[in-house]
């Protein structure tokens, strides 16, 4: 195994180093990665480049007049996923001397009120497929059309009059867009609901909603179709919503001691185009406007076999379902977002701040996507990669039982993190893929940002007249509404090859038979079952959790165990809405925590390819009803990380990160502890120096 290239330099209160820490940019730039400037030949799974996006625009322009003025807009442009078997044969060929699969773009456009699906081939430079889509649901909203809708409302006379009537200044109003969901109505129009907020002394937009107006915009006509000023409610105060450090007033919290990870030999990972190699891992990282960060072709080097072994063909965020729980008010009942399908988790991904979003030893990668008019938009530093030294122990043992000999062996843990942050309106979601030398992939989901709140008359619980206010009073005139976050991942595991099976192992309690002659009355043992069809693989997690494993039935260890990877799930939560409720029908992919489907190139988005205003007829739950065979097949695992969020005062005015996640961990994949022979890290500490104060 390659040595972990990390040396830890611990800097305490040392004057010399304080100087450096104040000049952290200069200090750290010494070891910031420069390998990103290298432009490689494209890998079949690379995201579309700026050049390719321009080419897509050029080719489509030859057939259609494009742009908002022609009512022809680009709602999604991404890589048309190449045939998996071709990618795999290209990937496994020595020196990759097999012709890579053709690069193509998949485009979803709105063309005069219709949805058009276009495939563009880059080598022949032509449209190879072009069809009008029939069916429910609409494509992702673009940033540009949301901004156009906002501008429209700010100029809309009845709206301005309503703002004035409230004694507010229209120059201080920010308008955001909320998707409509679907509540049983027949609909054919792409509508959004506009939500106005008031700044005037605050930069925390979402905490000052102006309620009482129902404003609906038709995005395909760019017209306000409904405007009703129903009532004038209270407006939460600006005071207390500040979160910029420069504007906050004392008292301040105790400062945290500074520390830095210094890697004198540089980072231990290498980036070659979009391929990352680190210790025993190799994977490809990409960016998609809907999913955000995508990990592909993750494989781990097996020292005993002297080769890389496949683990994860592709893993990414598939959808986030965020339903709010105020069912009675017209402003609120419809707030049931499908964040990735509605707003794009990649489109909403933000530039990461060096040193704070990602540590000083991070390398960054940009993302690029097509804006509404087809021109490329770049988001710099949208993903980062860094080695994480969290102070954990990889493994250890102290042997104290041997007379006259005391042995202690410890290996500190280091992992490699790939991160993105997507800010979908008020919420910031941190998504981490953490690779461990032991073979684990830990996926972390962190929730932070700002709550979605509802203005009320109340400033104290004792004033509440209703039975239920559907949330918590977190500030004067401010109720933060109860809601969920269901974060669904698509995990196309290929454990040591494509053909895999899903195994559920129950732990069952047994009575000890009297005939055993021991005083033990009970024990537990395992009951292993291979899921043969999709129905047998739907899992609702409970207190008596099962062991859930994806195994390769065609590969066994020396001792006859099937090689596998286990899903170690995070906190257990499932939907609390009834299955006949409209949002839950659209998000029926959350009805189970785990699903397995046979691989199908077009089954990628758990909420369906068209999530906005969808009717739930193209979800994972519907695909799964086909009850296909999944034993010894190329299978895909879907896992949902769920949070039920009853807001509290600490979540105001911004929310400290709430974390959950899961782990994919090898089980009988290796013959023995794969990190047994990890070389020792060379420890460097600073010379002693005197405290500066
Ligand atoms: C804006 O905020 C200031 C300070 O809180 C307040 O005095 C003023 O009335 C507000 N103006 C409007 C138009 O809301
Ligand atoms: C603003 O809020 C702070 C506490 O967050 C409070 O001490 C102060 O009195 C408030 N000021 C006004 C004008 O309400
Ligand atoms: C793949 O999935 C789509 C959507 O569920 C379905 O229409 C199609 O028939 C599937 N293809 C195969 C080969 O099963
Ligand atoms: Cu929340």
């Amino acid at each position: 195994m390659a040595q972990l290239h990390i040396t830890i330099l611990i800097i305490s209160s040392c004057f010399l180093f304080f100087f450096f820490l104040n000049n952290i940019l200069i200090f750290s730039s010494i070891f910031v990665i420069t390998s990103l400037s290298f432009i490689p030949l494209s890998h079949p799974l690379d995201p579309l480049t700026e050049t390719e996006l321009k080419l897509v625009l050029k080719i489509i322009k030859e057939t259609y007049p494009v742009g908002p003025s022609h009512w022809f807009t680009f709602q999604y442009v991404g890589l048309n996923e190449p045939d998996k078997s071709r990618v795999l044969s290209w990937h496994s060929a020595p020196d990759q001397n097999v012709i890579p699969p053709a690069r193509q773009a998949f485009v979803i456009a709105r063309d005069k009120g219709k949805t058009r699906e276009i495939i563009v081939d880059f080598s022949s430079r032509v449209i190879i497929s072009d069809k009008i889509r029939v069916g429910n649901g609409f494509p992702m909203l673009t940033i540009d059309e949301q901004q156009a809708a906002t501008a429209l409302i700010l100029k809309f006379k009845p709206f301005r009059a309503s703002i004035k009537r409230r004694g507010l200044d229209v120059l201080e109003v920010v308008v955001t867009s909320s998707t409509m969901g679907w509540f049983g109505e027949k609909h054919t129009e792409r509508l959004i609901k506009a939500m106005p907020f008031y700044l005037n002394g605050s930069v925390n937009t979402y905490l000052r909603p102006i309620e009482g107006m129902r404003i609906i915009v038709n995005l395909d006509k760019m017209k306000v179709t409904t405007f009703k000023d129903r009532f004038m409610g209270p407006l939460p105060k600006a005071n207390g919503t500040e979160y910029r450090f420069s504007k906050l007033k004392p008292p301040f919290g105790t400062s945290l001691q500074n520390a830095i990870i210094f890697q004198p030999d540089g980072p231990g990972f290498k980036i070659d185009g979009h391929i990352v190699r680190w210790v025993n891992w190799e994977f490809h990282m990409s960016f998609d406007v809907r999913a955000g960060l995508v990990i592909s072709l993750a494989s781990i080097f097996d020292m005993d076999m002297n080769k890389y072994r496949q683990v994860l063909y592709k893993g990414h965020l598939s959808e986030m379902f965020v339903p709010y729980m105020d069912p009675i008010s017209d402003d609120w009942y419809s707030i049931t977002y499908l964040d990735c399908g509605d707003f794009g988790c990649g489109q909403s991904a933000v530039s990461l701040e060096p040193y704070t979003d990602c540590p000083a030893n991070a390398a960054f990668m940009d993302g690029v996507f097509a804006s509404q008019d087809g021109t490329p938009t770049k988001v710099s530093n949208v993903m980062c990669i860094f080695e994480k030294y969290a102070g954990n122990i990889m493994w250890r043992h102290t042997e104290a039982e041997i007379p006259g000999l005391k042995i202690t062996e410890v290996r500190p843990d280091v992992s490699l993190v790939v991160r993105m942050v997507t800010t979908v309106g008020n919420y910031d979601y941190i998504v981490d893929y953490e690779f461990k030398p032991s073979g684990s992939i830990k996926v972390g989901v962190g929730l932070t940002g700002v709550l979605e709140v509802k203005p009320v008359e109340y400033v104290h619980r004792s004033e509440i007249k209703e039975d239920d206010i559907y949330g918590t009073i977190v500030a004067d005139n401010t109720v933060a509404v109860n809601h969920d976050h269901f974060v669904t991942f698509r995990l196309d595991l290929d454990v040591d090859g494509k053909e895999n099976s899903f195994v559920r192992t129950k732990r069952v309690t047994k009575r000890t038979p009297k005939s055993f002659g021991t005083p033990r009355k009970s024990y537990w043992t395992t009951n292993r079952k291979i899921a043969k069809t999709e129905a047998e693989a739907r899992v609702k997690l409970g207190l008596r959790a099962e062991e859930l494993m994806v195994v390769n039935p065609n590969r066994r260890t020396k001792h006859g165990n099937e090689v596998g990877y286990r899903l170690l799930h995070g906190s257990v939560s499932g939907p609390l809405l009834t299955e006949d409720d409209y949002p839950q029908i659209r998000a029926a992919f959350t009805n189970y925590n785990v699903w397995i489907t046979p691989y199908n190139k077009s089954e990628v988005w758990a909420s369906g390819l068209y999530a906005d205003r969808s009717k739930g007829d193209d979800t994972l739950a519907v695909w799964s009803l086909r009850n296909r065979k999944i034993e010894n097949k190329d299978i895909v695992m879907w896992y949902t990380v769920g949070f039920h969020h009853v807001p509290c005062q600490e979540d105001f005015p911004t929310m400290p990160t709430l974390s959950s996640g899961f782990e994919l961990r090898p089980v009988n994949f290796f013959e023995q502890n794969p990190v047994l022979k990890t070389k020792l890290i060379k420890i460097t500490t600073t010379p002693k120096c005197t405290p500066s104060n």
Side-chain angles (χ1 to χ4, degrees), residues 408-463:
T408 290
E409 286 283 328
V410 193
R411 300 293 176 278
D413 204 15
V414 183
S415 53
L416 184 75
V417 176
V418 187
R419 173 172 294 170
M420 79 152 171
V421 174
T422 179
T423 302
V424 191
N426 52 314
Y427 256 98
D428 299 63
Y429 295 90
I430 304 160
V431 181
D432 281 357
Y433 294 83
E434 182 176 351
F435 294 84
K436 290 186 162 286
S438 63
S440 279
I441 305 174
K442 285 179 86 169
V443 180
V445 178
L447 272 51
T448 173
V450 179
L451 294 165
E452 209 159 307
V453 303
K454 178 179 141 146
V456 290
E457 300 291 346
Y458 314 131
V459 297
H460 193 278
R461 275 186 72 147
S462 62
E463 299 161 8

Side-chain angles (χ1 to χ4, degrees), residues 322 324 427 429 447 451 481 483-485 643-647 651 655 658:
V322 190
Y324 282 76
Y427 256 98
Y429 295 90
L447 272 51
L451 294 165
V481 177
H483 58 276
D484 301 301
H485 304 262
F643 300 82
H644 299 298
H645 192 176
V646 179
D651 300 343
M655 173 179 161
L658 180 66

Side-chain angles (χ1 to χ4, degrees), residues 600 602-603 623 626:
N600 175 324
S602 54
E603 294 178 348
W623 312 330
R626 302 216 287 278

Side-chain angles (χ1 to χ4, degrees), residues 198-261:
Y198 201 51
L199 298 178
N200 193 36
S202 179
V203 289
N204 206 333
T205 312
Y206 286 93
L207 292 183
R208 302 198 74 199
I210 307 170
E211 282 214 316
M213 282 176 267
R214 184 169 179 81
I215 318 162
I216 293 172
V217 179
N218 181 321
L219 289 177
D220 290 326
K221 298 192 174 125
M222 215 29 99
K223 268 202 179 108
V224 178
T225 56
T226 304
F227 182 84
K228 279 190 198 133
D229 193 351
R230 296 176 300 123
F231 63 90
M232 293 207 286
L235 182 68
K237 294 185 183 70
N239 188 23
T241 65
E242 187 57 72
Y243 55 90
R244 291 166 297 180
F245 188 76
S246 58
K247 309 280 178 187
L248 292 170
K249 304 217 158 49
F252 293 112
T254 316
S255 0
L256 304 175
Q257 286 297 92
N258 214 336
I260 197 159
I261 288 181

Side-chain angles (χ1 to χ4, degrees), residues 616-685:
D617 50 13
D618 183 30
T619 66
L620 166 59
V622 172
W623 312 330
S624 172
L625 288 176
R626 302 216 287 278
N627 203 19
R628 292 160 286 186
K629 290 198 166 57
I630 53 167
E631 188 181 1
N632 201 10
K633 291 242 181 321
D634 186 3
I635 56 175
V636 175
M637 178 188 273
W638 306 77
Y639 174 65
T640 298
V641 179
F643 300 82
H644 299 298
H645 192 176
V646 179
C648 58
Q649 285 188 246
E650 288 83 353
D651 300 343
F652 183 94
T654 62
M655 173 179 161
T657 305
L658 180 66
S659 303
S660 187
F662 61 94
E663 179 172 342
L664 298 168
R665 187 180 167 95
V667 173
N668 301 322
F669 186 85
F670 296 105
E671 295 291 343
Q672 60 164 12
N673 177 1
V675 286
L676 181 74
K677 296 184 187 173
T678 301
K679 288 186 190 160
L680 295 171
I681 288 176
K682 196 175 116 212
I683 309 287
T684 311
T685 52

